[in-house]
Amino acid sequence: MNKNIWLSCYPTITIWDTVQTRALVSRFIGGDMKERSFKMIETNGVTLRVVVEGDGPLVILLHGWPQSWYLWRHQIDPLVAAGYCVAVPDQRGYGGSSSPPEVSEYTILKLTADIDGIREALGYDSFKLIGHDWGCLVAWNTALLYESTCSAVMGLSVPFWRAGDETINPEGFDDKFWYIRYFQSHRADDELNADLERSFRILSYGLGGDSPVGTWMTQLEHPSSKRLLDVLPEPEALPPWITQEDFDYQVDQFRKNGFRGPTNWYRNLPNHNSLTAQLEGKPITQPAAFIAGCDDDVLMYDLNWRERFTNSFEDLRFLELIEGAAHWLQVEKPVETTNFILRFLEEVA
């Protein structure tokens, strides 16, 4: 597989203390409904809905595509119990946060500035950052762009890379369906918005541990004229790691604004390197760690990813793969994932 087919402004900040809300969220663990504390934070020209709980050093958790803060539902309480202030935003374009329609509102500079803006709004001098999927790409770049405030960084599922034109149009894939190229068109938004339940069933299964390894990559067996949901299998039931209530909440986060904002992230990939030319060849100097599922198809994008990945860090504490997991680590293997996060936070305390 071509190694290059991979993906995943300084803010003005105001925090609405008077608009802080407490919301009941359907999270059926042990049969109990879990209450979460949200803050609406204005930063960098947008308003972000952020779960903020606990006291202590600040840890920010970043979801990816197509998720929301809710992907981290199993990790929040253990981190709070371990003595951290945990902030989990719906990132720009998602859930209860602002979702500007313009593609230019989702550059890597704006996405990373949003995260440091959360830190400043909450009154902290520094923070530790953990990202998953596209949130991982934001996390790696935040560490590079905000070295003085981001004190440690951990990634889940998507290794560090510099995305280029080959990411969108991989060599030899001209006639094959490739989702990143497909996402450059708003045709993708229309398809995914047409039936949100079906979209999430197919996307959850396609990258989840319940599908055969390589399911996500079967898209390459189809012509480029196809649509995403046409090239992936549709499961008969939800996977065992998500309840119907969890699924309904996840889908509801997309009912207001749909997929346009989230998929605009991909439409900024052509400008990623030119906007951050100063980062070319620059290693991440902060303490770092990485975990992924052994069966994650994203790791198939570059079969030599491990060798290239380790050269991008000056202080990589550990790299671990979780057996029996694919892409959705936080919900497929919540205990193992949380334990690795706590291990990292303890090492860099």
Side-chain angles (χ1 to χ4, degrees):
M1 188 69 66
N2 188 316
K3 71 177 182 179
N4 291 318
I5 70 172
W6 282 13
L7 265 188
S8 107
C9 39
Y10 294 92
T12 299
I13 302 133
T14 306
I15 186 165
W16 296 356
D17 287 322
T18 58
V19 185
Q20 180 176 355
T21 61
R22 296 195 67 83
L24 288 175
V25 176
S26 296
R27 178 174 160 226
F28 290 85
I29 297 176
D32 295 328
M33 182 174 285
K34 183 68 181 181
E35 186 180 76
R36 290 295 177 206
S37 177
F38 292 94
K39 289 180 181 285
M40 302 301 291
I41 294 177
E42 287 189 354
T43 178
N44 199 29
V46 293
T47 302
L48 302 177
R49 183 179 69 167
V50 186
V51 174
V52 181
E53 299 196 357
D55 297 304
L58 178 61
V59 177
I60 301 178
L61 308 178
L62 304 180
H63 67 82
W65 188 96
Q67 295 287 335
S68 70
W69 76 267
Y70 197 61
L71 182 65
W72 296 97
R73 58 191 177 274
H74 299 308
Q75 284 70 51
I76 296 171
D77 291 340
L79 268 61
V80 169
Y84 297 97
C85 174
V86 181
V88 194
D90 287 336
Q91 294 204 74
R92 177 186 292 241
Y94 287 87
S97 294
S98 297
S99 185
E102 298 85 2
V103 172
S104 59
E105 288 298 309
Y106 298 87
T107 68
I108 193 64
L109 297 181
K110 292 189 176 184
L111 297 175
T112 54
D114 289 350
I115 307 312
D116 195 61
I118 293 171
R119 184 272 311 166
E120 185 172 345
L122 294 177
Y124 282 84
D125 293 328
S126 65
F127 64 100
K128 298 172 178 64
L129 186 58
I130 303 171
H132 173 260
D133 186 81
W134 247 106
C136 208
L137 185 59
V138 174
W140 300 136
N141 281 275
T142 301
L144 289 167
L145 292 167
Y146 294 90
E147 285 183 292
S148 63
T149 54
C150 180
S151 62
V153 61
M154 181 177 183
L156 280 63
S157 302
V158 174
F160 174 79
W161 70 81
R162 296 279 291 167
D165 291 338
E166 311 84 32
T167 306
I168 302 169
N169 295 298
E171 184 179 354
F173 284 20
D174 293 350
D175 298 325
K176 298 178 180 181
F177 183 89
W178 181 237
Y179 76 107
I180 300 174
R181 177 170 53 219
Y182 178 63
F183 284 175
Q184 301 307 303
S185 168
H186 290 295
R187 178 183 174 218
D189 310 342
D190 296 337
E191 179 197 11
L192 295 169
N193 287 334
D195 185 339
L196 291 173
E197 285 84 357
R198 179 171 182 260
S199 295
F200 276 99
R201 282 196 303 271
I202 291 175
L203 294 172
S204 297
Y205 178 76
L207 278 168
D210 295 85
S211 62
V213 176
T215 294
W216 181 253
M217 302 307 292
T218 61
Q219 63 184 274
L220 297 174
E221 300 170 5
H222 297 267
S224 59
S225 59
K226 289 288 188 177
R227 302 185 304 170
L228 179 62
L229 302 183
D230 295 333
V231 303
L232 296 172
E234 184 169 358
E236 295 181 358
L238 293 176
W241 38 265
I242 186 169
T243 68
Q244 185 64 52
E245 292 81 6
D246 290 332
F247 181 80
D248 291 343
Y249 183 85
Q250 178 183 14
V251 172
D252 284 346
Q253 304 315 295
F254 281 72
R255 294 203 186 278
K256 180 180 178 181
N257 296 311
F259 274 86
R260 179 162 182 167
T263 311
N264 275 345
W265 290 39
Y266 287 91
R267 295 174 186 128
N268 276 277
L269 284 174
N271 302 319
H272 180 98
N273 286 349
S274 61
L275 289 175
T276 58
Q278 76 277 20
L279 302 182
E280 190 66 42
K282 178 179 172 58
I284 292 174
T285 60
Q286 299 96 318
F290 180 73
I291 62 173
C294 284
D295 300 330
D296 192 343
D297 283 6
V298 171
L299 301 183
M300 294 182 179
Y301 293 7
D302 178 3
L303 297 181
N304 297 314
W305 68 270
R306 189 188 294 252
E307 176 184 348
R308 276 179 270 274
F309 177 76
T310 54
N311 292 333
S312 299
F313 299 87
E314 291 186 357
D315 187 8
L316 184 62
R317 299 300 177 92
F318 60 83
L319 185 162
E320 300 281 357
L321 299 182
I322 299 178
E323 293 284 347
H327 192 65
W328 314 115
L329 287 179
Q330 300 97 311
V331 288
E332 292 184 51
K333 294 291 183 179
V335 173
E336 295 87 341
T337 299
T338 303
N339 285 341
F340 278 124
I341 291 172
L342 289 172
R343 169 185 162 187
F344 178 64
L345 292 175
E346 291 170 2
E347 286 191 18
V348 300

